[in-house]
Amino acid sequence: RSWTPSGKIYYQLSGELHAMETSSGASQKVTSLNLPGRVLWINISADEKTIAYVTQSDAAWKIVTSDLANQKITEVATGNGRIEGWAWLPEKKRFFYGDTVGDIQQIFLAEIGSGRSIQITASDTDNSVVDAAPDGKSIIYSSAKEESNLWLVRVKDGIESPFARDLNANLWPA
């Protein structure tokens, strides 16, 4: 999931966060969440002090941030249905995610600590968050729109622009 400035590589395994030391290759489990349902996604902030995770139990889902011990929990967003695609900007206190509106996956922004989410796309086709700009002002998302398969949307006004139009374009993490 992330390679932190300390040189550790964090990854998700069996619903828990693990860290691998790049110098030795040794891995260790970082969290012991033991949460109900499934952990769909988990990540750690660059300063390695805060985690964020997405859980789903039956149709109910939840996005949470917490300290590593999972003692200081902040509920970011909750809902029912299908949630997918997420980007977390811990330093900007922003979390982008996809939730179903009607039968279509739309993208939302949750300001961590505000208790509310704002829908930032209103498309006729499914959208999925790919990544967010470090400043939190734009996101890249994939879409089933035929004009393009990757789009850029400005958060402040929802203006969309094509990012990649080649149907053979593949997106791989850096």
Side-chain angles (χ1 to χ4, degrees), residues 6 11 20-21 35 37 40 43 46 53 64 69 72 74-75 77 92 95 130 132 138 140 144 147-148 159 171:
S6 71
Y11 60 95
M20 181 181 74
E21 294 282 348
L35 299 167
L40 302 175
N43 207 348
Y53 53 89
V64 172
K72 188 178 174 187
T74 301
E75 196 170 88
K92 297 292 182 189
F95 202 103
V130 174
S138 300
I140 296 173
E147 306 96 55
S148 178
I159 292 179
L171 184 66

PDB file of all heavy atoms in Angstrom, residues 6 11 20-21 35 37 40 43 46 53 64 69 72 74-75 77 92 95 130 132 138 140 144 147-148 159 171:
ATOM      1  N   SER A   6      10.495   6.307   6.249  1.00  0.00           N
ATOM      2  CA  SER A   6      11.380   5.547   7.137  1.00  0.00           C
ATOM      3  C   SER A   6      12.004   4.352   6.428  1.00  0.00           C
ATOM      4  O   SER A   6      12.908   3.715   6.972  1.00  0.00           O
ATOM      5  CB  SER A   6      10.610   5.059   8.369  1.00  0.00           C
ATOM      6  OG  SER A   6       9.713   4.025   8.008  1.00  0.00           O
ATOM      7  N   TYR A  11       1.857  -3.138   3.842  1.00  0.00           N
ATOM      8  CA  TYR A  11       0.952  -3.862   2.971  1.00  0.00           C
ATOM      9  C   TYR A  11      -0.155  -4.514   3.792  1.00  0.00           C
ATOM     10  O   TYR A  11      -0.036  -4.678   5.010  1.00  0.00           O
ATOM     11  CB  TYR A  11       1.702  -4.902   2.135  1.00  0.00           C
ATOM     12  CG  TYR A  11       2.431  -5.949   2.961  1.00  0.00           C
ATOM     13  CD1 TYR A  11       1.836  -7.179   3.239  1.00  0.00           C
ATOM     14  CD2 TYR A  11       3.704  -5.705   3.468  1.00  0.00           C
ATOM     15  CE1 TYR A  11       2.495  -8.135   3.993  1.00  0.00           C
ATOM     16  CE2 TYR A  11       4.370  -6.647   4.220  1.00  0.00           C
ATOM     17  CZ  TYR A  11       3.766  -7.871   4.481  1.00  0.00           C
ATOM     18  OH  TYR A  11       4.417  -8.808   5.239  1.00  0.00           O
ATOM     19  N   MET A  20       7.262  -4.261   6.193  1.00  0.00           N
ATOM     20  CA  MET A  20       8.496  -4.965   5.856  1.00  0.00           C
ATOM     21  C   MET A  20       9.651  -3.964   5.897  1.00  0.00           C
ATOM     22  O   MET A  20       9.562  -2.875   5.314  1.00  0.00           O
ATOM     23  CB  MET A  20       8.409  -5.568   4.455  1.00  0.00           C
ATOM     24  CG  MET A  20       9.678  -6.330   4.074  1.00  0.00           C
ATOM     25  SD  MET A  20       9.635  -7.030   2.422  1.00  0.00           S
ATOM     26  CE  MET A  20       9.842  -5.563   1.442  1.00  0.00           C
ATOM     27  N   GLU A  21      10.689  -4.328   6.603  1.00  0.00           N
ATOM     28  CA  GLU A  21      11.909  -3.519   6.641  1.00  0.00           C
ATOM     29  C   GLU A  21      12.671  -3.783   5.346  1.00  0.00           C
ATOM     30  O   GLU A  21      13.001  -4.928   5.039  1.00  0.00           O
ATOM     31  CB  GLU A  21      12.788  -3.922   7.835  1.00  0.00           C
ATOM     32  CG  GLU A  21      12.189  -3.638   9.184  1.00  0.00           C
ATOM     33  CD  GLU A  21      12.301  -2.182   9.580  1.00  0.00           C
ATOM     34  OE1 GLU A  21      13.039  -1.430   8.908  1.00  0.00           O
ATOM     35  OE2 GLU A  21      11.640  -1.793  10.547  1.00  0.00           O
ATOM     36  N   LEU A  35     -11.678  -6.993  13.533  1.00  0.00           N
ATOM     37  CA  LEU A  35     -12.936  -6.298  13.279  1.00  0.00           C
ATOM     38  C   LEU A  35     -14.001  -7.242  12.743  1.00  0.00           C
ATOM     39  O   LEU A  35     -13.689  -8.228  12.078  1.00  0.00           O
ATOM     40  CB  LEU A  35     -12.711  -5.173  12.264  1.00  0.00           C
ATOM     41  CG  LEU A  35     -11.725  -4.098  12.693  1.00  0.00           C
ATOM     42  CD1 LEU A  35     -11.351  -3.226  11.518  1.00  0.00           C
ATOM     43  CD2 LEU A  35     -12.317  -3.267  13.808  1.00  0.00           C
ATOM     44  N   GLY A  37     -16.815  -8.379  10.110  1.00  0.00           N
ATOM     45  CA  GLY A  37     -16.882  -8.178   8.668  1.00  0.00           C
ATOM     46  C   GLY A  37     -15.512  -8.301   8.028  1.00  0.00           C
ATOM     47  O   GLY A  37     -14.586  -8.877   8.593  1.00  0.00           O
ATOM     48  N   LEU A  40     -11.676  -4.204   3.714  1.00  0.00           N
ATOM     49  CA  LEU A  40     -11.496  -4.099   2.268  1.00  0.00           C
ATOM     50  C   LEU A  40     -10.193  -3.400   1.903  1.00  0.00           C
ATOM     51  O   LEU A  40      -9.598  -3.673   0.868  1.00  0.00           O
ATOM     52  CB  LEU A  40     -12.670  -3.333   1.641  1.00  0.00           C
ATOM     53  CG  LEU A  40     -14.057  -3.904   1.881  1.00  0.00           C
ATOM     54  CD1 LEU A  40     -15.110  -2.978   1.297  1.00  0.00           C
ATOM     55  CD2 LEU A  40     -14.168  -5.292   1.289  1.00  0.00           C
ATOM     56  N   ASN A  43      -4.452   1.363   5.201  1.00  0.00           N
ATOM     57  CA  ASN A  43      -3.219   2.049   4.850  1.00  0.00           C
ATOM     58  C   ASN A  43      -2.721   2.840   6.055  1.00  0.00           C
ATOM     59  O   ASN A  43      -3.435   2.977   7.050  1.00  0.00           O
ATOM     60  CB  ASN A  43      -3.417   2.965   3.647  1.00  0.00           C
ATOM     61  CG  ASN A  43      -2.147   3.174   2.857  1.00  0.00           C
ATOM     62  OD1 ASN A  43      -1.058   2.821   3.300  1.00  0.00           O
ATOM     63  ND2 ASN A  43      -2.267   3.756   1.678  1.00  0.00           N
ATOM     64  N   ALA A  46       2.073   8.763   6.138  1.00  0.00           N
ATOM     65  CA  ALA A  46       3.520   8.842   5.894  1.00  0.00           C
ATOM     66  C   ALA A  46       4.317   8.958   7.189  1.00  0.00           C
ATOM     67  O   ALA A  46       5.432   8.453   7.281  1.00  0.00           O
ATOM     68  CB  ALA A  46       3.836  10.010   4.970  1.00  0.00           C
ATOM     69  N   TYR A  53      -8.917   2.666   7.431  1.00  0.00           N
ATOM     70  CA  TYR A  53      -9.371   1.400   6.877  1.00  0.00           C
ATOM     71  C   TYR A  53     -10.842   1.472   6.501  1.00  0.00           C
ATOM     72  O   TYR A  53     -11.584   2.309   6.990  1.00  0.00           O
ATOM     73  CB  TYR A  53      -9.082   0.222   7.806  1.00  0.00           C
ATOM     74  CG  TYR A  53      -9.593   0.354   9.222  1.00  0.00           C
ATOM     75  CD1 TYR A  53     -10.874  -0.075   9.563  1.00  0.00           C
ATOM     76  CD2 TYR A  53      -8.774   0.865  10.221  1.00  0.00           C
ATOM     77  CE1 TYR A  53     -11.336   0.022  10.866  1.00  0.00           C
ATOM     78  CE2 TYR A  53      -9.228   0.963  11.519  1.00  0.00           C
ATOM     79  CZ  TYR A  53     -10.504   0.535  11.840  1.00  0.00           C
ATOM     80  OH  TYR A  53     -10.955   0.632  13.133  1.00  0.00           O
ATOM     81  N   VAL A  64     -12.870   4.468   8.535  1.00  0.00           N
ATOM     82  CA  VAL A  64     -12.402   4.864   9.866  1.00  0.00           C
ATOM     83  C   VAL A  64     -10.939   5.275   9.794  1.00  0.00           C
ATOM     84  O   VAL A  64     -10.170   4.730   9.017  1.00  0.00           O
ATOM     85  CB  VAL A  64     -12.553   3.668  10.839  1.00  0.00           C
ATOM     86  CG1 VAL A  64     -11.912   3.930  12.175  1.00  0.00           C
ATOM     87  CG2 VAL A  64     -14.010   3.296  11.009  1.00  0.00           C
ATOM     88  N   ALA A  69      -2.846   1.622  17.584  1.00  0.00           N
ATOM     89  CA  ALA A  69      -3.436   0.682  18.543  1.00  0.00           C
ATOM     90  C   ALA A  69      -4.953   0.553  18.359  1.00  0.00           C
ATOM     91  O   ALA A  69      -5.588  -0.242  19.036  1.00  0.00           O
ATOM     92  CB  ALA A  69      -3.124   1.122  19.967  1.00  0.00           C
ATOM     93  N   LYS A  72      -7.957   5.367  19.398  1.00  0.00           N
ATOM     94  CA  LYS A  72      -8.515   6.691  19.119  1.00  0.00           C
ATOM     95  C   LYS A  72      -9.136   6.655  17.718  1.00  0.00           C
ATOM     96  O   LYS A  72      -8.499   6.986  16.728  1.00  0.00           O
ATOM     97  CB  LYS A  72      -7.411   7.745  19.207  1.00  0.00           C
ATOM     98  CG  LYS A  72      -7.898   9.158  19.122  1.00  0.00           C
ATOM     99  CD  LYS A  72      -6.746  10.139  19.260  1.00  0.00           C
ATOM    100  CE  LYS A  72      -7.243  11.546  19.014  1.00  0.00           C
ATOM    101  NZ  LYS A  72      -6.141  12.502  18.984  1.00  0.00           N
ATOM    102  N   THR A  74     -11.841   7.555  14.689  1.00  0.00           N
ATOM    103  CA  THR A  74     -12.694   8.586  14.100  1.00  0.00           C
ATOM    104  C   THR A  74     -13.452   7.961  12.940  1.00  0.00           C
ATOM    105  O   THR A  74     -12.840   7.475  11.988  1.00  0.00           O
ATOM    106  CB  THR A  74     -11.862   9.779  13.582  1.00  0.00           C
ATOM    107  OG1 THR A  74     -11.121  10.340  14.655  1.00  0.00           O
ATOM    108  CG2 THR A  74     -12.753  10.841  12.954  1.00  0.00           C
ATOM    109  N   GLU A  75     -14.773   7.960  13.033  1.00  0.00           N
ATOM    110  CA  GLU A  75     -15.591   7.455  11.939  1.00  0.00           C
ATOM    111  C   GLU A  75     -15.661   8.532  10.860  1.00  0.00           C
ATOM    112  O   GLU A  75     -16.107   9.642  11.121  1.00  0.00           O
ATOM    113  CB  GLU A  75     -16.985   7.116  12.463  1.00  0.00           C
ATOM    114  CG  GLU A  75     -17.779   6.259  11.531  1.00  0.00           C
ATOM    115  CD  GLU A  75     -19.042   5.763  12.186  1.00  0.00           C
ATOM    116  OE1 GLU A  75     -20.056   6.487  12.099  1.00  0.00           O
ATOM    117  OE2 GLU A  75     -19.010   4.667  12.773  1.00  0.00           O
ATOM    118  N   ALA A  77     -16.949   7.977   7.423  1.00  0.00           N
ATOM    119  CA  ALA A  77     -18.187   7.856   6.640  1.00  0.00           C
ATOM    120  C   ALA A  77     -18.740   6.455   6.821  1.00  0.00           C
ATOM    121  O   ALA A  77     -17.990   5.506   7.074  1.00  0.00           O
ATOM    122  CB  ALA A  77     -17.923   8.143   5.169  1.00  0.00           C
ATOM    123  N   LYS A  92      -4.174  16.295   4.639  1.00  0.00           N
ATOM    124  CA  LYS A  92      -5.236  17.229   4.242  1.00  0.00           C
ATOM    125  C   LYS A  92      -6.571  16.879   4.904  1.00  0.00           C
ATOM    126  O   LYS A  92      -7.575  17.559   4.676  1.00  0.00           O
ATOM    127  CB  LYS A  92      -5.427  17.218   2.718  1.00  0.00           C
ATOM    128  CG  LYS A  92      -4.221  17.688   1.950  1.00  0.00           C
ATOM    129  CD  LYS A  92      -3.989  19.153   2.183  1.00  0.00           C
ATOM    130  CE  LYS A  92      -2.800  19.630   1.378  1.00  0.00           C
ATOM    131  NZ  LYS A  92      -2.405  20.972   1.730  1.00  0.00           N
ATOM    132  N   PHE A  95     -10.723  12.169   2.528  1.00  0.00           N
ATOM    133  CA  PHE A  95     -10.864  10.778   2.106  1.00  0.00           C
ATOM    134  C   PHE A  95     -11.843  10.747   0.935  1.00  0.00           C
ATOM    135  O   PHE A  95     -12.976  11.211   1.058  1.00  0.00           O
ATOM    136  CB  PHE A  95     -11.405   9.922   3.251  1.00  0.00           C
ATOM    137  CG  PHE A  95     -11.109   8.466   3.098  1.00  0.00           C
ATOM    138  CD1 PHE A  95     -10.107   7.878   3.841  1.00  0.00           C
ATOM    139  CD2 PHE A  95     -11.824   7.684   2.214  1.00  0.00           C
ATOM    140  CE1 PHE A  95      -9.830   6.527   3.698  1.00  0.00           C
ATOM    141  CE2 PHE A  95     -11.555   6.337   2.059  1.00  0.00           C
ATOM    142  CZ  PHE A  95     -10.551   5.755   2.808  1.00  0.00           C
ATOM    143  N   VAL A 130      -9.050   6.576  -8.402  1.00  0.00           N
ATOM    144  CA  VAL A 130      -7.749   5.975  -8.654  1.00  0.00           C
ATOM    145  C   VAL A 130      -6.710   6.573  -7.705  1.00  0.00           C
ATOM    146  O   VAL A 130      -5.983   5.861  -7.028  1.00  0.00           O
ATOM    147  CB  VAL A 130      -7.307   6.165 -10.122  1.00  0.00           C
ATOM    148  CG1 VAL A 130      -5.887   5.670 -10.337  1.00  0.00           C
ATOM    149  CG2 VAL A 130      -8.280   5.456 -11.060  1.00  0.00           C
ATOM    150  N   ALA A 132      -5.530  10.694  -5.599  1.00  0.00           N
ATOM    151  CA  ALA A 132      -5.801  12.105  -5.338  1.00  0.00           C
ATOM    152  C   ALA A 132      -4.503  12.887  -5.428  1.00  0.00           C
ATOM    153  O   ALA A 132      -3.433  12.380  -5.078  1.00  0.00           O
ATOM    154  CB  ALA A 132      -6.417  12.288  -3.949  1.00  0.00           C
ATOM    155  N   SER A 138      -7.675  17.875  -6.672  1.00  0.00           N
ATOM    156  CA  SER A 138      -8.108  17.108  -7.837  1.00  0.00           C
ATOM    157  C   SER A 138      -7.944  15.630  -7.545  1.00  0.00           C
ATOM    158  O   SER A 138      -7.125  15.234  -6.712  1.00  0.00           O
ATOM    159  CB  SER A 138      -7.271  17.444  -9.076  1.00  0.00           C
ATOM    160  OG  SER A 138      -7.370  18.801  -9.418  1.00  0.00           O
ATOM    161  N   ILE A 140      -7.929  11.665  -9.739  1.00  0.00           N
ATOM    162  CA  ILE A 140      -7.993  10.900 -10.978  1.00  0.00           C
ATOM    163  C   ILE A 140      -8.955   9.762 -10.706  1.00  0.00           C
ATOM    164  O   ILE A 140      -8.896   9.128  -9.652  1.00  0.00           O
ATOM    165  CB  ILE A 140      -6.615  10.345 -11.385  1.00  0.00           C
ATOM    166  CG1 ILE A 140      -5.645  11.476 -11.695  1.00  0.00           C
ATOM    167  CG2 ILE A 140      -6.746   9.417 -12.587  1.00  0.00           C
ATOM    168  CD1 ILE A 140      -4.233  11.003 -11.942  1.00  0.00           C
ATOM    169  N   ALA A 144     -16.535   4.315 -16.935  1.00  0.00           N
ATOM    170  CA  ALA A 144     -17.008   3.531 -18.064  1.00  0.00           C
ATOM    171  C   ALA A 144     -17.431   4.432 -19.235  1.00  0.00           C
ATOM    172  O   ALA A 144     -17.922   3.954 -20.232  1.00  0.00           O
ATOM    173  CB  ALA A 144     -18.178   2.652 -17.636  1.00  0.00           C
ATOM    174  N   GLU A 147     -15.840   8.228 -23.892  1.00  0.00           N
ATOM    175  CA  GLU A 147     -14.914   9.251 -24.398  1.00  0.00           C
ATOM    176  C   GLU A 147     -13.506   9.121 -23.808  1.00  0.00           C
ATOM    177  O   GLU A 147     -12.543   9.576 -24.373  1.00  0.00           O
ATOM    178  CB  GLU A 147     -15.397  10.663 -24.058  1.00  0.00           C
ATOM    179  CG  GLU A 147     -16.790  11.005 -24.480  1.00  0.00           C
ATOM    180  CD  GLU A 147     -17.787  10.802 -23.355  1.00  0.00           C
ATOM    181  OE1 GLU A 147     -17.621  11.366 -22.270  1.00  0.00           O
ATOM    182  OE2 GLU A 147     -18.733  10.059 -23.575  1.00  0.00           O
ATOM    183  N   SER A 148     -13.387   8.522 -22.624  1.00  0.00           N
ATOM    184  CA  SER A 148     -12.098   8.414 -21.948  1.00  0.00           C
ATOM    185  C   SER A 148     -12.197   7.344 -20.882  1.00  0.00           C
ATOM    186  O   SER A 148     -13.267   7.076 -20.347  1.00  0.00           O
ATOM    187  CB  SER A 148     -11.726   9.755 -21.307  1.00  0.00           C
ATOM    188  OG  SER A 148     -10.514   9.664 -20.613  1.00  0.00           O
ATOM    189  N   ILE A 159     -15.589  20.135 -12.103  1.00  0.00           N
ATOM    190  CA  ILE A 159     -15.300  20.169 -13.540  1.00  0.00           C
ATOM    191  C   ILE A 159     -14.415  18.973 -13.897  1.00  0.00           C
ATOM    192  O   ILE A 159     -13.370  18.753 -13.290  1.00  0.00           O
ATOM    193  CB  ILE A 159     -14.650  21.502 -13.955  1.00  0.00           C
ATOM    194  CG1 ILE A 159     -15.665  22.628 -13.806  1.00  0.00           C
ATOM    195  CG2 ILE A 159     -14.112  21.415 -15.383  1.00  0.00           C
ATOM    196  CD1 ILE A 159     -15.142  23.996 -14.159  1.00  0.00           C
ATOM    197  N   LEU A 171      -3.142   1.551 -16.033  1.00  0.00           N
ATOM    198  CA  LEU A 171      -2.645   2.343 -14.914  1.00  0.00           C
ATOM    199  C   LEU A 171      -1.985   1.411 -13.921  1.00  0.00           C
ATOM    200  O   LEU A 171      -2.613   0.487 -13.411  1.00  0.00           O
ATOM    201  CB  LEU A 171      -3.794   3.090 -14.254  1.00  0.00           C
ATOM    202  CG  LEU A 171      -3.395   4.022 -13.130  1.00  0.00           C
ATOM    203  CD1 LEU A 171      -2.565   5.177 -13.699  1.00  0.00           C
ATOM    204  CD2 LEU A 171      -4.604   4.559 -12.422  1.00  0.00           C
TER     205      LEU A 171
END
